């Protein structure tokens, strides 16, 4: 199966290690053996955390954009409804989630269903609300985190100050020859990762160190310091 | 403690990575330090997934068969009721599980209690409904998966076609000199594994590759291709 | 942030691998990158498991004692109430925990709030009921386990008999040059550990072997045998 998926991820953290804005959104194409994205679209979003429940609409738009470029068999969306088809998702199926979450979902459901219907009509592909069960969704999350590393590094260089980035759950970033890899630390996911190419060599302009988020077990953070600032 | 346990495991997967039949059942004897089976009985079952809730009766029969061959202090069954004695398990204790699961358990409980009473009378050994808390149950699951690798390989050879096997949660298979090892990838279980001896050298007749189950995070799959088919 | 935290941990196990008494209590000071205690206070407690819910009061007293020696920004207590300030914790906030747990908490809450008020007044530091979300609480747990290894070894030497110690969830002990390290095996915590210095060289007087707790997946145990006993 060729699967397209999307996610938004990695967050700027304040001095109390609380997330303030979501840094990157990506759509990925994943093929067997389902370990790394084959192709991806990525963009910096720096979207306030308060609106993060609306990001899912943009994620589906990114999937649609990727479908323009490449063929796929199915789309996996980061909404955890047991793999239901998005077009079958109705208010009734939402009865067993919290009323707050239901409010969010109901607000965006019409937009999501409209895009899903377009995707079905134009490309003949179904959109599944599979979320946490999906390996491609996890690969999208790690790929978003890899892109976010570059965007956060760029921000540190541009603003000449330290930037702190909170990574997604159970993963870590590693600088590689031509970019950054974010590897999963979840059990049985040791060979799953996300990659972002550092075309502007922004990682040469900063130093980053890793630490644990002290108030969120399982989450690691990176602190980016521009090299120019270090010399001052 | 010498502990006897049993489990059924690994499943054939269709092209959508859904389980269609359970491949193997085993009973194991486990001793300190509780890392690998000391002895085991194993059999191919290829039982339809729809009936998988009835497999527990057969698992207890396999424990009984193993008790004929070797002494043990206790039997651990793969039913998660906090380590209750099977003979004390009554409909009242089932009040806090789902009505569907309760229906299944009530259907098989009389048979289970009868075998447990026999086991107690003949061997003086208690049967515990301990399930997910038990390390021997996990070792039985991994041992069943190791046997299933051989049975699935055999099936691929016999039927001259690719066979896809879904492994149990958080583990991976590795070919070793005289058989196959299935190692746990669960945290703090890095030294727990299951083994099956490849007496017929069936692994010489196939090639297998590992991939991730894209619709079930934490689950890995194996694809067996008969070597003869590859040459065609 | 400089964070002070405390925990009690590791338990003596009987022949059925059930915990009988909690061995050690510690308070730790943790600084970025939040991987190991910078300073700690540790004591053997050998407290019966039945009273373990009262240990939290003593843990907070240990934090207070550590604050006399060193400065910190905040105290993390091993009570899981989402990071609420202890002084804001009221019976109303306890409405969504089990009535048994609520009973325990209500019994100790007055003492906890009194100490927390003292800590605030004297050191200007808040006490958070953050529990399982806190990395410093985990480091305290691993540090308590490292101390418990030494106390249990001492007990085996003094009483000239085998002592079995149950370790906290998902960790393992390793003898190092001048003491013992307890490393986390939780995903994404591979670089978190606790340390205890073996000043009396008690580890030279015993042999210890590791095994899995067969009735509690994820928990490992150590068996300490005095070397003198082995020569007999």
């Amino acid at each position: 199966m060729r699967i397209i998926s999307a996610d938004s991820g990695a967050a700027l953290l304040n001095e109390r290690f609380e997330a303030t804005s979501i840094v990157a959104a990506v759509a990925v194409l994943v093929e067997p053996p389902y370990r790394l994205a084959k192709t991806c679209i990525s963009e910096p979003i720096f979207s306030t955390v308060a609106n993060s429940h609306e990001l899912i609409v943009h994620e589906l738009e990114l999937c649609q954009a990727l479908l323009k470029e490449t063929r796929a068999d199915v789309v996996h969306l980061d909404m955890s409804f047991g793999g239901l088809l998005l077009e079958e998702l109705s208010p009734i199926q939402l009865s067993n989630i919290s009323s707050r979450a239901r409010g969010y979902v109901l607000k965006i459901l019409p937009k999501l269903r409209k895009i899903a219907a377009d995707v079905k009509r134009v490309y003949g592909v179904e959109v599944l609300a599979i979320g946490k069960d999906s390996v491609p969704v996890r690969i999208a999350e790690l790929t978003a985190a890899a892109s976010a590393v570059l965007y956060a590094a760029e921000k540190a260089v541009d603003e000449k100050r330290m930037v702190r980035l909170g990574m997604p759950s159970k993963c870590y970033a590693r600088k590689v020859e031509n970019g950054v890899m974010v590897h999963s630390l979840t059990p049985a996911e040791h060979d799953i990762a996300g990659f972002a190419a550092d075309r502007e060599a922004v990682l040469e302009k900063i130093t980053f160190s890793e630490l644990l988020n002290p108030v969120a077990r399982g989450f690691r953070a990176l602190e980016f310091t521009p090299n120019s600032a270090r010399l001052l």
Side-chain angles (χ1 to χ4, degrees), chain A:
Chain A
M1 277 195 290
R2 291 166 61 89
I3 305 171
I4 280 181
S5 184
D7 202 12
S8 317
L12 297 184
L13 301 181
N14 64 19
E15 68 289 348
R16 291 190 298 175
F17 286 85
E18 297 158 341
T20 57
S21 77
I22 307 293
V23 175
V26 304
V28 296
L29 169 73
V30 184
E31 290 179 336
Y34 310 107
R35 286 182 182 142
L36 206 60
K38 179 91 175 179
T39 323
C40 91
I41 298 177
S42 154
E43 53 181 40
I45 53 172
F46 293 99
S47 165
T48 171
V49 164
N51 298 334
S52 62
H53 57 280
E54 288 178 10
L55 290 175
I56 190 84
V57 176
H58 186 54
E59 290 166 18
L60 184 50
E61 289 167 345
L62 285 177
C63 290
Q64 198 177 21
L66 192 51
L67 276 166
K68 269 182 210 157
E69 296 179 18
T70 185
R71 194 184 56 74
D73 299 308
V74 66
V75 169
H76 282 190
L77 213 53
D78 186 17
M79 296 180 79
S80 296
F81 290 101
L84 268 185
L85 289 182
L86 197 66
E87 59 184 272
E88 291 176 355
L89 202 63
S90 69
I92 294 153
Q93 261 118 2
L94 303 175
S95 57
N96 55 356
I97 61 171
S98 77
S99 64
R100 194 174 156 208
R102 190 164 53 244
Y104 289 149
V105 174
L106 288 176
K107 200 169 151 192
I108 57 173
L109 200 52
K111 281 189 208 170
L112 286 177
R113 294 179 65 149
K114 194 195 164 305
I115 306 173
D118 283 357
V119 162
K120 181 72 186 290
R121 187 175 41 81
V122 179
Y123 305 104
V125 168
E126 304 279 13
V127 177
L128 304 187
I130 184 173
K132 64 184 169 54
D133 293 330
S134 163
V135 168
V137 166
R138 175 63 166 166
I139 293 171
E141 183 179 46
L142 299 171
T143 306
S147 294
V149 165
L150 300 181
Y151 302 146
E154 221 165 68
K155 189 179 178 71
V157 171
D158 288 352
E159 302 183 3
K160 296 188 176 59
R161 62 178 187 89
M162 190 272 270
V163 167
R164 183 181 292 130
L165 183 71
M167 301 294 280
S169 175
K170 299 187 185 64
C171 66
Y172 76 99
R174 190 168 64 89
K175 193 177 162 179
V176 293
E177 204 182 321
N178 50 351
V180 60
M181 290 286 282
V182 174
H183 296 274
S184 180
L185 291 167
T186 301
E189 291 191 353
H190 49 275
D191 45 5
I192 296 185
F195 171 76
D198 182 15
R199 296 199 186 80
E200 313 293 326
V202 65
L203 293 181
E204 303 302 317
K205 300 175 199 159
I206 54 99
T207 303
F208 73 92
S209 64
E210 191 193 36
L211 67 170
L212 287 106
N213 184 331
V215 296
R217 276 182 70 189
F219 291 85
R220 305 171 84 84
L222 298 176
E223 291 182 346
F224 299 89
T225 315
N227 291 339
S228 54
R230 289 175 76 232
L231 294 173
L232 296 182

